[in-house]
Amino acid sequence: MRSVAIRCALVLALAMLPSLARAEESAIRVGALDAVLTTPAGVERPPVALLIAGSGSTDRDGNGPQLKPATLKKLAEQLATRGIASLRYDKRGARGWKAEFGRPEDFRFKDYVGDAAALVDFLRGKFARIVLVGHSEGGLVAILTARRTPVDRLVLLAAAARRQGDLLKAQLERKLPAAKMEPVAKAIDAIMAGQIVDPTPPELPIAPAMQPGIGSAFAEDPIDPLKQITIPILIVGGARDHQVARLDMVALAAAAPAAKTLWLPEMNHVLVDVANEDENLASYNDPDRPLDPDLVEAVAGFITAAGPR
């Protein structure tokens, strides 16, 4: 009888797990932005994280045209199980360019910041606190958004401390021979300075009409605006990240000395643990590979921790 009772209790407990973890997802539109609001079940007025994606035509789940790691979708799901709501959205250009965004050649990096600020305004007053969570280039967007509109906390995940043009040069230097790298570096510097390069080197296929917009992204420096942010900040990096180096995390932490920091030895750029380069490459198209568990706990704990809003 005792074993039967134990089995019944176990079955009942397992049956309850889905209801405890269940979250509601709602498709919403703010202006021209399509987004998904995830709210945890049974939590009245939870904190909310605005999840800001990295570079490229990245959608609400953290996927692009070629790479589909589902980074933001996985993070939203994990936060929901910990009583935290989230809003994730399609960046401009994801799932196609909309007429409401104007002409693609008129895009400037500040438009990303304006989009994030508009979503903060949508969230304001509905949740216990608003936290910006920026991944990769999204970290820069989050920093600039936190300078533009009031939020409660800021999380930077695998974010760079350098201008994106300088970061791109560092990444390409590891791949291109010196003879090819020299004209590429000169072209990047010129685009960062607001010049039009025509033709560009074959290794840097950026159409002249798109160069002002890309140059506006290349030239944004995260350090000075980060120094001016006084809200609580969490900075997380990973040793398996081949896109952003540890020196970036060190520089970000130096710019925000009161920030909490976390360095994860097995985590890569899409926030999962990998053991070698084969796993690293495969993870960029593995939506089922779980996020680094220490990352999830650190972000959730930071969002919900008591203290200043």
Side-chain angles (χ1 to χ4, degrees):
M1 291 294 293
R2 184 183 176 192
S3 62
V4 172
I6 292 173
R7 285 199 300 270
C8 289
L10 179 59
V11 169
L12 179 61
L14 292 174
M16 290 176 62
L17 285 178
S19 64
L20 292 174
R22 188 182 301 126
E24 179 181 347
E25 286 200 337
S26 305
I28 65 168
R29 173 171 279 205
V30 177
L33 298 171
D34 290 308
V36 171
L37 179 66
T38 304
T39 51
V43 182
E44 185 177 353
R45 200 175 167 81
V48 64
L50 176 61
L51 307 182
I52 306 176
S55 59
S57 300
T58 311
D59 69 14
R60 69 195 73 176
D61 292 338
N63 295 331
Q66 284 81 41
L67 305 177
K68 302 185 185 302
T71 306
L72 300 187
K73 184 176 188 294
K74 291 185 286 192
L75 183 55
E77 292 169 348
Q78 290 297 317
L79 292 178
T81 66
R82 291 158 175 81
I84 300 167
S86 64
L87 182 66
R88 63 190 199 271
Y89 61 101
D90 295 335
K91 288 178 59 182
R92 294 183 182 225
R95 305 174 193 263
W97 190 268
K98 298 178 182 177
E100 297 98 313
F101 294 140
R103 301 188 308 164
E105 56 267 34
D106 292 333
F107 163 81
R108 298 296 182 269
F109 194 77
K110 63 180 176 58
D111 295 327
Y112 284 154
V113 180
D115 291 342
L119 292 169
V120 169
D121 289 342
F122 168 80
L123 296 171
R124 199 176 307 284
K126 300 179 177 71
F127 297 90
R129 61 170 54 135
I130 299 174
V131 182
L132 301 180
V133 180
H135 173 238
S136 190
E137 180 191 79
L140 176 59
V141 176
I143 289 170
L144 297 176
T145 303
R147 289 289 301 137
R148 175 167 170 169
T149 189
V151 294
D152 298 301
R153 297 187 179 187
L154 171 65
V155 178
L156 305 177
L157 306 177
R162 291 168 278 181
R163 297 182 301 173
Q164 291 188 69
D166 294 329
L167 181 65
L168 178 60
K169 286 189 292 183
Q171 293 171 343
L172 292 176
E173 281 173 355
R174 299 196 298 266
K175 301 178 180 180
L176 297 177
K180 290 188 175 182
M181 184 62 211
E182 183 177 359
V184 168
K186 288 181 178 179
I188 292 174
D189 288 339
I191 292 171
M192 289 172 68
Q195 302 171 23
I196 300 297
V197 179
D198 189 14
T200 58
E203 297 78 11
L204 194 73
I206 304 175
M210 305 306 296
Q211 290 178 21
I214 292 175
S216 71
F218 279 0
E220 286 284 359
D221 190 336
I223 294 300
D224 283 343
L226 182 59
K227 288 179 178 179
Q228 301 171 48
I229 294 174
T230 58
I231 58 175
I233 300 171
L234 172 66
I235 304 169
V236 185
R240 302 285 188 182
D241 188 340
H242 294 337
Q243 294 177 245
V244 177
R246 185 163 192 171
L247 66 87
D248 287 284
M249 180 173 165
V250 171
L252 292 172
K260 296 180 182 294
T261 60
L262 178 64
W263 182 252
L264 297 168
E266 304 300 326
M267 191 181 79
N268 73 355
H269 193 68
V270 292
L271 312 182
V272 302
D273 288 349
V274 295
N276 51 54
E277 185 57 20
D278 288 340
E279 285 190 8
N280 183 44
L281 292 174
S283 70
Y284 281 72
N285 270 307
D286 187 352
D288 297 320
R289 194 178 188 97
L291 300 180
D292 181 295
D294 292 331
L295 163 86
V296 174
E297 293 302 329
V299 173
F302 177 78
I303 290 173
T304 57
R309 292 189 59 199

